[in-house]
Amino acid sequence: MSTHPSLRRRLPGWLVLFLAGPVIWYLTFWLVYLVAEAGCTTGGLDFRLLGLPGLSVITVTVSVLAAGTIAVLTTRAYMRWSDDPSGEDHRRSLMFAGFLLGILFLIATLFIALPALVLEPC
Amino acid sequence: MSDRTPGHVPYADTPTVEAPSTDVELDRLWDDPPGLWGRLRAVQNDAVGRRLILTGFFFLLLGGTVDSVVMRLQLAVPDNDLVGPQLYNELFTNHGSVTMFLVILPIFEGFAILLLPLLLGTREMPFPRLGAFAYFTFLLGGLLYYSSTLFSAVPDAGWFGYTPLSGPEFSPDLALDFWVLGLGVAEVGAIAAAIEIIIGVLKMRAPGMTLARMPLFAWAVLVMAFMILFAFTPLIVGSLLLELDRGFDTQFFNPGAGGSSLLWQHLFWIFGHPEVYIQFLPATGIVSMVLPVFVRRRIVGYTWLVAAMVAVGFLSFGLWAHHMFSVGLSPIVLSFFSAASMVIAIPAGVQIFAWLATIWEGRPVWKTPFLFVVGFLALFVLGGITGVMVASVPFDLQAHDSYFVVGHLHYVLIGGVAFPMFAGVYYWLPKFTGRLLNERLGKWNFWLLFIGVNVTFFPMHIVGLMGMPRRIYTYPAGLGWETYNLISTIGVFIIVGGFVVFVTNVVHTHFRGAPAGHNPWGGDTLEWAVSSPPLQHSYSVPPIVHGRHPLWDQKDLHGGDLDDERLVHALSEWPLRWRAALITGTSDADPEEVFRVAGPSIWPLVAALGTVAIFAAELLKLRLGALAGALVIVVAVIGWNWPEDAAITEEEELAFEERHRIPVRVGGSLALARWGTGLLILFLGIAFTSFLLAYFYLRLENLDWPPPGISLPAPGAAVVAGALVLAGAVSMYRALHGIKADDQRRLRVGLAVAAALGGIGVAVQALEVTGVVFDSQTHAYGSIFHVMGWFCLMVAVAGIVMALMTLYWAVRGRYTARRHVPVANVALYWAALAVIWVIGFATLYLTPLLT
């Protein structure tokens, strides 16, 4: 066993899959909020695409991309949980928690973007 | 008698920990010194935890009870003149501020610090001196806040201190300074305790107690502590900006000079809303601990509950603007926050259904702790449903600032937080006093509180929907509000009756309580395996855990992997000259290190006094006093960290390491130091991000940036300073690599060069910032330029001081290839400071060109 200090440690995979959903949601939330705040305050992003205001397009696009990423990582968490019945219990349990969190934050990401499809943003 | 029905659990004859012959010696070693001087130096988790809880209850009696009784008496009848508008403003400000800052939070942090070592199967918290510092700053901050009454300058702008009411124009006297500065000191204490809790939970669990086996209370306080770090830091930044507006004439919150009063609301509520969940989560942790024991069944959905707590922690940071629905936010922003506020009902609902399912599957034993849990379920569901109602923008626009919201938040905070707190006290107090609280008085306590809360707060929903605004000191007759208000006032006296019964019960128990024994409730977690009260070090032989319910599932608490078994037994015999504890893996709880826990010290108190001196000096406008306070802190931190005599030789260390294949860190734990430095950097990163948010928010609020008449400073000097600081960081890493190779010369040269380059860089940048042609007082642009610039400079100065201290010890030959934890930490800090420096000054000098 090494007794030398080492600060170079990789982020453990279980932690990534455990917290992927909430962290991606949190970053997405801040991003769409800040863009909306900036867009409405400055009057920028003044374009329309497919009948939707520019700000709504950005909100929906960012949210869908984030939701897709969450979906992929949630699926991986599910597979890690279901494919390894004999695995160490703490990793399996956290993978299941990561799966649950992924589903919740997938819903949250899409739910928060939904009004952008029907509301005039500013 | 044991019940072996599937799913149900034994609740008698639970195992106890081994009691080796060294019990007495270890107990003496871990005990804090006697007498007044000893008490001031006390750092043990039981002393710190008890003090936090008792001081929190003391502030509860002052600010939670007395204020509310006077307010309710005033509102009992229309046109009442018991108290005038000014005193009423002071009462509701004090009531909110004290309960939110000085009561619930310290009580739960006290619960955590007191209970965690027992629950996790370890001997102490990781940084006992930090715990003591947290307590003293909390106490001194609370006293500084309350000392406003001595100067007849009681804060009166609400617990949220909205600008411009709290700004220099409308609150020119000292009242709001007491509010900002007194509570600011307490916030420092809250963050210190949070760091202690995070590292304690993640690194100091019994062997075998993986994250998935951890008691749910530990999960709850872990999430709580991270939330404190993320929520209180923006508040500290906001408070700093407010105090700068008040005391140094900056313009952050003055719309007339480029500032924004909404910026304060954002910074406050980014803290304020998570604060509600910071209080709620540990309460749910208590419920998840108490409930299974009193229904004799394992909790249903452990993993679901963990996921729900983590989800609540994250979602709570996306809700803050639902306190600002009526300030004129754009529709899309309103919809973001409205949707997030509704989504949080999902994890809250998951928790409720998991608890209900556990009760449904179990066989309830209607003791007082369980009554409080059931009361919590009923009240919190009501408070939660009205919470979803106010998450809806159209409804909130009607109910905003009405008594409906007062009713809602009290159902959440009393039903959802205070009831579990009482459950926790009835459940765990016998562990620490060795005596059971009286059941008959407990039931009176519960029913008076339960009835009182409903009688007081339910009518508020109705009177709020009838249009009664909150924070009014009186109201005219004939609006139909009289009866509801009178009922609410009667209710508050029923609540007071409940409190009186509780205090009576505690006093009665102290003198005549029945002996508790080690496990009076048939509990499943480790704290019930030790004597009541526990030994100072809790465990002579640390336990080995094989499941989530060790006392229900294990007959032997010290059996398991042979290496682990040998290690935990060895720890009861060696070392007996210094306080040793075990560090385990973050997720798998495998033993990683044996380290020396810090002992009693006066320096935490001195550091807390220095902290409060800085804040008090600003209050009295004695700016040199702040400098003196800073010097006191520097001296205290040096004394606090002064290396102690190792007490053993490296050969002794090596012998134990070889026998048990685990490092012995008598000079301090590497893992704890790494985590401590990481969290310090996280704290600085959050503070820095808060400054960046303030910067860009102000930028958006101003069409011209910099404002007309001010030209953007040339970036030349900033580029030179940045290059010097970056080179300093590189040199710091060269020093680290040097000592890893046992090259003392490379270490010393690297440290010296880093300090020198950093020092020159700071000097160049400081001259540049002080030399710009605009000041911090004319326009918000100048205010944020100077404050953010000085923040980056201060971060760098701290790095230089660390480098010089490390150099001092390096010259004295303190570090070796085996023992060089401080060097590694300082190098990590320098990496962070270089990033902060580059982003900070790039923002100030370059982003105006882009926008």
Side-chain angles (χ1 to χ4, degrees), chain A residues 1-9 14 18-19 22-23 25-26 29-30 32-34 36-42 55-56 59 63 88-98 100-101 104-105 107-108 111-113 115-116 119-122, chain B residues 210-213 219 266 270 302-304 306-307 310-311 314-315 317-318 320 329-333 335-337 339-340 342-343 346-347 548 586-588 592 657 661-663 665 670 674 693 697 700-701 736-737 740 817-818 820 824-825 828:
Chain A
M1 178 179 308
S2 166
T3 57
H4 292 264
S6 166
L7 295 169
R8 288 182 189 169
R9 290 201 170 178
W14 64 264
F18 176 48
L19 291 180
V23 169
W25 170 82
Y26 186 63
F29 185 85
W30 269 99
V32 295
Y33 162 65
L34 290 174
E37 190 78 50
C40 287
T41 308
T42 62
L55 209 49
S56 301
T59 302
S63 300
E88 292 172 83
D89 68 340
H90 62 285
R91 299 275 157 83
R92 282 202 75 219
S93 196
L94 292 175
M95 285 307 93
F96 183 61
L100 295 174
L101 284 167
L104 175 64
F105 283 94
I107 294 168
F111 185 54
I112 286 165
L119 278 179
E120 273 302 317
C122 300
Chain B
T210 63
L211 282 179
R213 291 174 183 162
W219 269 107
H266 280 293
I270 285 174
Y302 173 96
T303 312
W304 290 72
V306 170
V310 174
F314 273 89
L315 284 167
F317 282 89
W320 80 88
L329 300 174
S330 57
I332 195 166
V333 170
S335 73
F336 291 158
F337 286 95
M342 290 176 187
V343 170
I346 299 174
R548 288 174 187 158
T586 308
S587 69
D588 55 16
E592 281 186 347
E657 285 182 9
R661 288 186 283 169
I662 186 167
R665 311 270 190 209
L670 167 63
R674 185 191 288 130
L693 281 173
Y697 194 86
L700 285 175
E701 294 288 303
L736 176 61
H737 289 302
K740 277 182 178 175
R818 279 180 53 81
H820 62 265
N825 288 330
L828 190 61

Side-chain angles (χ1 to χ4, degrees), chain B residues 65 68 414 445 448-457 488-501:
Chain B
T65 310
S68 29
I414 297 186
N445 182 185
L448 284 170
L449 282 183
F450 187 76
I451 293 168
V453 166
N454 284 290
V455 171
T456 306
F457 298 108
S488 285
T489 301
I490 292 168
V492 90
F493 281 97
I494 303 175
I495 293 176
V496 169
F499 273 105
V500 171
V501 172

Side-chain angles (χ1 to χ4, degrees), chain B residues 138-216:
Chain B
F138 157 63
L139 173 69
L140 294 172
L143 292 178
L144 182 65
Y145 167 81
Y146 257 108
S147 63
S148 59
T149 51
L150 302 176
F151 298 88
S152 298
V154 182
D156 58 356
W159 83 278
F160 37 79
Y162 280 166
T163 56
L165 181 58
S166 60
E169 189 181 353
F170 297 102
S171 297
D173 63 6
L174 285 177
L176 263 293
D177 296 310
F178 277 107
W179 184 81
V180 173
L181 298 166
L183 298 179
V185 178
E187 289 153 20
V188 171
I191 290 178
I195 290 172
E196 169 92 323
I197 291 166
I198 290 171
I199 301 178
V201 172
L202 290 178
K203 296 308 297 176
M204 293 191 69
R205 304 193 303 275
M209 186 183 278
T210 63
L211 282 179
R213 291 174 183 162
M214 203 163 72
L216 285 164

Side-chain angles (χ1 to χ4, degrees), chain B residues 233-560:
Chain B
T233 312
L235 178 66
I236 287 178
V237 170
S239 302
L240 170 71
L241 302 188
L242 179 57
E243 192 52 35
L244 289 173
D245 268 15
R246 295 180 54 79
F248 293 82
D249 301 323
T250 55
Q251 305 294 344
F252 291 106
F253 305 118
N254 178 11
S260 167
S261 50
L262 282 189
L263 172 62
W264 168 258
Q265 292 201 25
H266 280 293
L267 287 171
F268 183 81
W269 288 116
I270 285 174
F271 146 79
H273 199 79
E275 163 76 344
V276 176
Y277 292 94
I278 284 169
Q279 298 171 347
F280 173 64
L281 275 176
T284 66
I286 292 176
V287 170
S288 296
M289 299 293 290
V290 172
L291 194 148
V293 174
F294 287 91
V295 300
R296 309 300 187 207
R297 197 202 187 287
R298 296 163 211 282
I299 195 125
V300 172
Y302 173 96
T303 312
W304 290 72
L305 285 163
V306 170
M309 286 192 278
V310 174
V312 166
F314 273 89
L315 284 167
S316 69
F317 282 89
L319 316 182
W320 80 88
H322 78 210
H323 294 269
M324 301 165 64
F325 278 168
S326 57
V327 303
L329 300 174
S330 57
I332 195 166
V333 170
L334 289 176
S335 73
F336 291 158
F337 286 95
S338 178
S341 304
M342 290 176 187
V343 170
I344 204 164
I346 299 174
V350 165
Q351 288 176 296
I352 296 288
F353 283 108
W355 292 321
L356 289 177
T358 310
I359 296 173
W360 184 266
E361 290 284 310
R363 283 184 233 141
V365 179
W366 295 90
K367 299 276 188 185
T368 306
F370 185 64
L371 277 178
F372 274 104
V373 166
V374 174
F376 152 83
L377 285 170
L379 296 177
F380 177 69
V381 167
L382 282 169
I385 288 172
T386 51
V388 179
M389 290 166 75
V390 290
S392 164
V393 177
F395 182 87
D396 184 76
L397 293 177
Q398 296 300 314
H400 191 84
D401 265 349
S402 78
Y403 258 86
F404 184 89
V405 179
V406 181
H408 154 68
L409 75 93
H410 281 89
Y411 264 82
V412 172
L413 288 179
I414 297 186
V417 176
F419 269 55
M421 206 181 270
F422 278 103
V425 170
Y426 275 90
Y427 183 63
W428 278 305
L429 194 70
K431 175 51 59 188
F432 297 97
T433 60
R435 292 170 184 272
L436 288 163
L437 284 154
N438 183 282
E439 266 300 307
R440 181 189 291 254
L441 286 172
K443 289 195 167 71
W444 272 97
N445 182 185
F446 167 75
W447 283 110
L448 284 170
L449 282 183
F450 187 76
I451 293 168
V453 166
N454 284 290
V455 171
T456 306
F457 298 108
F458 193 80
M460 289 185 185
H461 295 93
I462 301 167
V463 81
L465 291 177
M466 291 170 75
M468 182 170 171
R470 62 198 293 198
R471 306 188 192 102
I472 52 167
Y473 84 103
T474 190
Y475 54 92
L479 294 172
W481 301 347
E482 297 92 328
T483 309
Y484 297 107
N485 275 292
L486 186 60
I487 293 171
S488 285
T489 301
I490 292 168
V492 90
F493 281 97
I494 303 175
I495 293 176
V496 169
F499 273 105
V500 171
V501 172
F502 171 70
V503 174
T504 308
N505 200 353
V506 172
V507 174
H508 173 268
T509 304
H510 182 73
F511 293 106
R512 295 190 178 181
H518 74 278
N519 191 1
W521 313 116
D524 58 330
T525 38
L526 289 173
E527 77 274 27
W528 302 111
V530 301
S531 58
S532 308
L535 297 171
Q536 290 294 330
H537 57 294
S538 305
Y539 300 95
S540 295
V541 184
I544 298 173
V545 172
H546 300 288
R548 288 174 187 158
H549 314 276
L551 268 62
W552 286 350
D553 297 336
Q554 290 177 229
K555 285 188 176 160
D556 175 8
L557 291 174
H558 307 289

